[in-house]
């Protein structure tokens, strides 16, 4: 039988008032809600930490940082929180929040700039294995916030939800327009969750820099493309104008293709 979803009730505790905290967690759990609390790392050293150590009445509360009066780098406060959780051996999941309190440059408007800004906090934490939940809280645009969260997770390899692309930075050896070609390849293949595609400008260094890509699109000669499956070159000298479709055919031949509307 499927468990029914439960609401998460969240409250921030910007001081270390332990009685208030304990009452809140007990009441929300008794009422059948999941509990999430923003806490100061220091409060886990005292009664709040004692309470959570022995807590067995329900799932442990999600923990996230509570902003402090003196503005502190949120990356530092999250690390302090994780240290406090580990010191107490608490079984509490950590929730990374990207919002006005944790953004470094909240005035950024473009998606790529917001992504970079959010990655300053989430990237180092996720790459260090910290974080059980993440939220991007920009009330004006829920779809874009969700996309941003998935991009953060994908960038840190914490959750793969779409195609992974590896592209060389391009240089004097590049044999095709790397930017427009990569864009064309993305438009055709961006929905292939779990597939990695490398786009490399030349065969001199490209094949060696494709990391562990499943498929490679590599400049072989001016106007000619070589295609790779893993590290093996399987097709050579394909006219550039046909190469993207030949790459798609190759992905199909290897059973890694599905149509975009089949994505789950
Ligand atoms: S793979 Fe080739 S084209 Fe791309 S940066 Fe390296 S040397 Fe330059």
């Amino acid at each position: 039988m499927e468990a029914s979803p439960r609401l998460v009730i969240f409250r921030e505790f910007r001081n270390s008032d332990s009685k208030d905290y304990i009452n809140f967690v007990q009441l929300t759990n008794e009422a059948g809600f999941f509990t999430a609390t923003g806490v100061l790392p220091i409060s886990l050293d005292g009664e709040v930490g004692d309470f959570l150590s022995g807590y067995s009445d329900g799932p442990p509360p999600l923990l996230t940082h509570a902003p402090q009066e003196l503005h502190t780098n949120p990356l530092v406060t999250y690390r302090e929180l994780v240290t406090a959780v580990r010191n107490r051996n608490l079984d509490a999941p950590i929730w990374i929040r990207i919002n006005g309190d944790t953004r470094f440059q909240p005035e950024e408007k473009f998606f790529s700039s917001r992504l970079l800004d959010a990655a300053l906090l989430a990237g180092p934490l996720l790459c260090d294995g910290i974080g059980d939940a993440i939220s991007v809280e920009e009330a004006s645009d829920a779809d874009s916030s969700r996309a941003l969260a998935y991009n953060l997770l994908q960038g840190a390899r914490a959750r793969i939800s779409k195609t992974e692309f590896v592209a060389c930075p391009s240089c004097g050896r590049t044999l095709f327009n790397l930017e427009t070609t990569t864009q064309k390849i993305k438009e055709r293949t961006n929905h292939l969750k779990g597939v990695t595609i490398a786009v490399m400008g030349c065969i001199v260094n490209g094949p060696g820099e494709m990391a562990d890509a499943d498929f490679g699109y590599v400049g072989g000669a001016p106007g000619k493309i070589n295609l790779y499956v893993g590290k093996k070159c399987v097709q050579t000298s394909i006219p550039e104008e046909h190469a993207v479709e030949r790459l798609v055919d190759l992905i199909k031949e290897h059973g890694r293709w599905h149509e975009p509307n089949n994505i789950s």
Side-chain angles (χ1 to χ4, degrees):
M1 192 175 151
E2 262 185 42
S4 21
R6 287 198 286 170
L7 276 176
V8 177
I9 303 292
F10 170 66
R11 188 174 154 195
E12 222 163 55
F13 294 83
R14 296 193 184 210
N15 58 43
S16 40
D17 182 343
S18 52
K19 284 195 180 54
D20 206 12
Y21 183 92
I22 292 167
N23 281 340
F24 173 76
V25 172
Q26 287 175 331
L27 283 173
T28 48
N29 249 329
E30 278 168 26
F33 299 114
F34 281 124
T35 312
T37 53
V39 291
L40 302 177
I42 195 168
S43 61
L44 296 182
D45 292 341
E47 277 184 68
V48 169
D50 294 341
F51 165 72
L52 291 175
S53 296
Y55 189 66
S56 58
D57 294 346
L62 272 171
L63 293 183
T64 189
H65 94 309
Q68 301 178 31
E69 278 177 21
L70 283 176
H71 185 69
T72 315
N73 183 327
L75 184 55
V76 174
T77 52
Y78 268 103
R79 288 198 184 283
E80 286 175 351
L81 179 64
V82 170
T83 302
V85 165
R86 287 178 180 163
N87 286 345
R88 298 299 300 245
N89 280 326
L90 299 180
D91 184 25
I94 301 293
W95 171 20
I96 301 171
R97 299 182 70 197
I98 309 293
N99 59 20
D101 287 324
T102 58
R103 291 271 305 270
F104 291 88
Q105 294 184 308
E107 71 283 357
E108 293 290 1
K109 294 282 179 283
F110 293 112
F111 185 85
S112 55
S113 312
R114 287 160 50 220
L115 179 59
L116 272 178
D117 185 41
L120 291 174
L121 172 65
L125 295 174
L126 291 170
C127 287
D128 285 347
I130 295 169
D132 302 278
I134 186 167
S135 60
V136 177
E137 300 161 32
E138 294 174 350
S140 57
D141 188 350
D143 286 343
S144 157
S145 296
R146 193 180 313 113
L148 206 141
Y150 277 124
N151 273 278
L152 291 170
L153 292 169
Q154 175 116 1
R157 308 288 187 276
R159 177 171 176 174
I160 302 298
S161 55
K162 58 182 182 177
T163 316
E164 183 75 12
F165 294 97
V166 179
C168 78
S170 88
C171 71
R173 286 191 167 122
T174 307
L175 291 164
F176 56 86
N177 186 321
L178 199 83
E179 205 173 324
T180 56
T181 304
T182 303
Q183 192 52 38
K184 270 189 219 160
I185 293 173
K186 279 187 173 176
E187 281 165 14
R188 289 291 279 128
T189 64
N190 202 24
H191 59 289
L192 301 176
K193 178 178 171 179
V195 174
T196 303
I197 299 174
V199 186
M200 297 288 160
C202 77
I203 51 170
V204 180
N205 292 322
E209 294 173 2
M210 292 196 297
D212 292 323
D214 300 302
F215 300 94
Y217 180 109
V218 181
K224 305 286 184 191
I225 303 299
N226 294 354
L227 296 181
Y228 286 69
V229 175
K231 296 190 186 318
K232 188 174 174 197
C233 182
V234 293
Q235 294 184 29
T236 57
S237 299
I238 302 164
E240 193 183 333
E241 60 273 25
H242 303 307
V244 174
E245 285 312 309
R246 293 282 285 275
L247 172 67
V248 169
D249 291 342
L250 193 61
I251 296 170
K252 288 178 179 171
E253 283 165 26
H254 284 77
R256 305 293 302 274
W257 180 267
H258 62 79
E259 295 305 323
N261 56 2
N262 289 342
I263 196 165
S264 56

